[in-house]
Amino acid sequence: PRSLRNAFYLHPDQFPPAIYLPGTRGPRFLVSDVLIWLEARKPQQPASATAATPKPQQGRPRKASAAQIARARQHGQGGAA
């Protein structure tokens, strides 16, 4: 919520019209205005249905267990000592 609030105060023109009610903090939005605003921002083309590609490994790999090390040594892949 705080990120949205900050974005609203920085760029109010990118949000639906806000109303300010006495006795409340911050802007309020009419549901109908929000629905219209969301509909206007829908992607024009549906998302492509491509198969998800696995993410590349990032960061340091996890430590191998003793069983993984033994399996790697049996298959001639070296392994951590």
Side-chain angles (χ1 to χ4, degrees), residues 50-65:
T50 58
T53 57
K55 291 170 112 178
Q57 292 292 327
Q58 294 179 345
R60 184 175 176 173
R62 295 182 178 174
K63 291 183 179 179
S65 67

Side-chain angles (χ1 to χ4, degrees), residues 1-80:
R2 183 170 288 163
S3 295
L4 283 174
R5 187 180 317 123
N6 291 342
F8 174 75
Y9 288 123
L10 288 173
H11 305 285
D13 55 313
Q14 296 179 1
F15 285 83
I19 52 176
Y20 295 90
L21 300 173
T24 61
R25 288 185 174 186
R28 300 292 187 253
F29 303 94
L30 295 175
V31 173
S32 58
D33 289 342
V34 172
L35 293 175
I36 292 168
W37 178 76
L38 287 173
E39 195 66 33
R41 279 153 183 75
K42 260 188 183 175
Q44 299 301 324
Q45 298 177 356
S48 61
T50 58
T53 57
K55 291 170 112 178
Q57 292 292 327
Q58 294 179 345
R60 184 175 176 173
R62 295 182 178 174
K63 291 183 179 179
S65 67
Q68 290 172 322
I69 294 170
R71 218 174 308 132
R73 286 183 179 159
Q74 286 177 350
H75 296 300
Q77 296 176 355

